[in-house]
Amino acid sequence: MGLVLTIDSGTTGVRTFAVNEQGVPLGFAYREFTQHFPRPGWVEHDPEEIWQAVQETLAEIVETSTEPVSAIGITNQRETVVVWDRRNGRPLHRAIVWQDRRTATRCEQLQDGGHLDLVRSTTGLVLDPYFSASKLEWLFNDGGVTPDEHVAFGTVDSWLVWKLTGGRHATDTSNACRTLLFDIGTMSWSDEMCALFGVPMTALGEVLPSSGRFGETTDDIATGANVPVSGIAGDQQAALFGQTCFWPGQAKNTYGTGSFVLMNVGSQRPDPVEGLLSTVAWTIEDETTYAYEGAIFVTGAAIQWLRDGLRIIDDAAETGPLAASVADTGGVVFVPALTGLGSPYWDARARGTIVGLTRGTGRAEIVRATVESMAYQSRDVIEAMSAASGTVLSELRVDGGASVMEFLLQFQADQLGVPVVRASVAETTALGAAYLAGIAEGVWSGLDEVAGLANRSDADRRFEPNPDRGRADADYAQWQRAVSRSLDWDLTE
């Protein structure tokens, strides 16, 4: 058997990884792509630029590898909307990114119209501009896209499958369930949801298991022709799989542009829970695994804002050392509701708030408050998740770019009161997609073999909590007071 390649198409760039039979990543190539902000709260990407980044990173990996490629997996930013013309494959609009808030008012109208219960019972989600359907409705009503038989809609994975295979229109269950158009009970596109958002069923692709063959590459792809594209999962589900959280009650947190906590809840669809999402984790053959999810919109993106917006740091790598350079924030609390607040609040109109500033506040205190906000938001979600599932976590498995910050992980352990375990491979989203593709093509026999590859003794580091809860709980109470101000930001009312 040869290598498994994973295309990890994230929010700010594309990484392509090569993984060997032992489950060891051998290297990666990376290309960043442009972030477009046409108006405040609007975020867009160019689908062709994403595809160009995929082509370049695939070519770089193939050029430096001596082994054949057995399979390709895809993991992707979820909820982002791509529309293209079936006749020529050309995008009809820039992709509208999951962070985009332009449809907040429309989602409120639908909720006020009494549609929330139907949405929750069908999709496991809530009415929020985070998800795909209201973005797609906007494209049809205000974005100049005609909803005719030639329009193809997909999340980013679907767009890449189309390009890799020369026109296969398909997605997997973990991405389909993030659109607000998919019934997670029947595991099929929902006529009612499509009617609610004015989406023609003809625009939707075929929904396939997460581990299985979606198609084969064409001869103009860097890997050469006939390489199977055999595993797809949305980035957070892929991270759950890559962390080998294969059994109910296991959970992980990925610190990326946002942060996402997922808990495996098994093969029975969970009931809707206030403040959390019920989502498909993955489907292998005919068995679907479900998860509770808490979605935090802004964590790593707040560090980007410190760098690019406030310009108080020059490089994201400064964040951890700066945060650790001061004993505390001096009373500063930052609620990074830069694109609203996700779980467990789901308030699209919440705004970022910094409280507790004094003349003694410096950039180190603001940076530390930003890092602490990642841990506080994660605690918000995990406490809601534990209450819903009736399960108290024994440990939290973590990954993602910000997991390199040891200050953050120790602070997170102190806030939760449980150990935080960092994966030896930080980018487990890519590893999860590789596992799904490799299982489909026989590189690995199944979950037991993969779990053996990723034995927890290979964890990079385990962070034990401070047994004294007094300081952590007092700081958290201060955070909750700051959140209340973020939720009530409109001073004109």
Side-chain angles (χ1 to χ4, degrees):
M1 307 298 279
L3 300 173
V4 178
L5 302 188
T6 292
I7 299 166
D8 183 355
S9 183
T11 304
T12 57
V14 171
R15 285 179 173 84
T16 294
F17 286 78
V19 178
N20 67 14
E21 280 185 79
Q22 289 71 47
V24 177
L26 301 180
F28 71 92
Y30 177 70
R31 296 291 186 280
E32 194 168 286
F33 50 75
T34 307
Q35 308 294 304
H36 299 275
F37 305 101
R39 297 184 189 178
W42 291 27
V43 190
E44 296 178 351
H45 295 156
D46 180 350
E48 292 288 9
E49 189 179 3
I50 294 174
W51 172 237
Q52 181 65 32
V54 168
Q55 290 178 296
E56 291 177 3
T57 55
L58 273 175
E60 185 174 330
I61 287 293
V62 169
E63 286 172 6
T64 58
S65 300
T66 58
E67 298 182 56
V69 178
S70 296
I72 295 174
I74 297 172
T75 184
N76 56 287
Q77 52 165 307
R78 305 171 302 171
E79 297 91 20
T80 295
V81 169
V82 184
V83 288
W84 64 94
D85 191 320
R86 295 178 186 277
R87 294 169 294 185
N88 53 31
R90 293 176 183 167
L92 298 170
H93 194 277
R94 281 183 187 158
I96 302 181
V97 179
W98 61 273
Q99 298 165 308
D100 190 282
R101 312 306 289 174
R102 75 186 66 185
T103 60
T105 299
R106 174 57 175 157
C107 289
E108 290 175 358
Q109 291 172 348
L110 289 168
Q111 183 159 330
D112 292 343
H115 296 287
L116 179 59
D117 288 345
L118 175 63
V119 167
R120 287 177 64 86
S121 64
T122 303
T123 69
L125 307 178
V126 295
L127 282 165
D128 191 276
Y130 174 43
F131 304 106
S132 307
S134 63
K135 306 179 197 298
L136 192 55
E137 182 186 51
W138 183 91
L139 286 169
F140 292 150
N141 292 337
D142 302 294
V145 177
T146 302
D148 57 25
E149 70 275 14
H150 302 301
V151 173
F153 153 71
T155 41
V156 172
D157 62 297
S158 189
W159 166 244
L160 298 184
V161 168
W162 178 282
K163 300 294 281 186
L164 287 165
T165 64
R168 180 76 185 275
H169 189 195
T171 189
D172 90 299
T173 57
S174 76
N175 278 290
C177 77
R178 310 298 297 189
T179 62
L180 278 177
L181 302 173
F182 190 73
D183 187 325
I184 65 171
T186 65
M187 297 300 290
S188 62
W189 296 118
S190 167
D191 290 324
E192 286 181 293
M193 290 298 99
C194 286
L196 180 63
F197 290 98
V199 176
M201 296 285 282
T202 56
L204 306 176
E206 183 180 5
V207 182
L208 299 173
S210 310
S211 182
R213 191 169 293 194
F214 290 79
E216 297 178 352
T217 57
T218 56
D219 58 10
D220 58 338
I221 305 300
T223 57
N226 303 317
V227 175
V229 180
S230 300
I232 293 177
D235 52 9
Q236 303 315 315
Q237 293 97 323
L240 189 68
F241 202 85
Q243 287 274 27
T244 67
C245 294
F246 297 151
W247 294 279
Q250 295 183 310
K252 71 87 197 174
N253 188 9
T254 295
Y255 302 96
T257 303
S259 284
F260 299 87
V261 183
L262 271 74
M263 176 186 285
N264 184 325
V265 297
S267 59
Q268 297 298 313
R269 177 190 170 176
D271 294 329
V273 175
E274 189 69 28
L276 297 175
L277 307 177
S278 301
T279 195
V280 172
W282 52 75
T283 301
I284 298 177
E285 295 182 346
D286 59 353
E287 183 170 343
T288 293
T289 295
Y290 294 91
Y292 276 139
E293 176 174 332
I296 302 165
F297 294 158
V298 174
T299 51
I303 294 174
Q304 292 175 325
W305 179 67
L306 295 181
R307 182 192 65 190
D308 303 332
L310 295 187
R311 298 186 179 181
I312 64 174
I313 58 173
D314 295 321
D315 191 288
E318 298 175 46
T319 306
L322 258 177
S325 71
V326 290
D328 54 45
T329 67
V332 175
V333 182
F334 175 29
V335 182
L338 306 181
T339 56
L341 281 175
S343 295
Y345 307 102
W346 289 111
D347 188 334
R349 293 188 177 276
R351 290 295 180 267
T353 304
I354 301 177
V355 296
L357 297 173
T358 69
R359 285 289 299 271
T361 300
R363 68 184 189 121
E365 285 78 13
I366 293 175
V367 169
R368 180 173 176 129
T370 303
V371 175
E372 288 186 358
S373 75
M374 300 182 189
Y376 291 137
Q377 290 180 98
S378 298
R379 179 172 173 176
D380 285 341
V381 168
I382 290 166
E383 290 197 348
M385 190 173 288
S386 295
S389 66
T391 301
V392 177
L393 292 182
S394 59
E395 68 175 29
L396 180 69
R397 300 178 182 182
V398 300
D399 55 67
S403 68
V404 300
M405 281 193 286
E406 297 196 350
F407 167 77
L408 167 63
L409 300 191
Q410 185 60 60
F411 192 82
Q412 184 74 85
D414 292 342
Q415 279 296 312
L416 296 177
V418 301
V420 169
V421 183
R422 179 170 59 193
S424 56
V425 179
E427 298 296 342
T428 54
T429 51
L431 199 56
Y435 288 154
L436 288 165
I439 289 171
E441 298 300 327
V443 177
W444 301 293
S445 59
L447 301 185
D448 288 339
E449 183 179 359
V450 167
L453 292 174
N455 188 287
R456 296 308 299 170
S457 64
D458 292 334
D460 181 55
R461 187 168 172 195
R462 184 179 180 91
F463 296 81
E464 298 289 344
N466 186 334
D468 183 358
R469 303 291 303 147
R471 168 72 182 274
D473 288 343
D475 288 346
Y476 184 60
Q478 189 177 41
W479 159 262
Q480 290 177 306
R481 290 192 293 272
V483 168
S484 70
R485 288 158 174 76
S486 178
L487 295 170
D488 190 29
W489 71 280
D490 191 346
L491 301 180
T492 65
E493 293 183 353

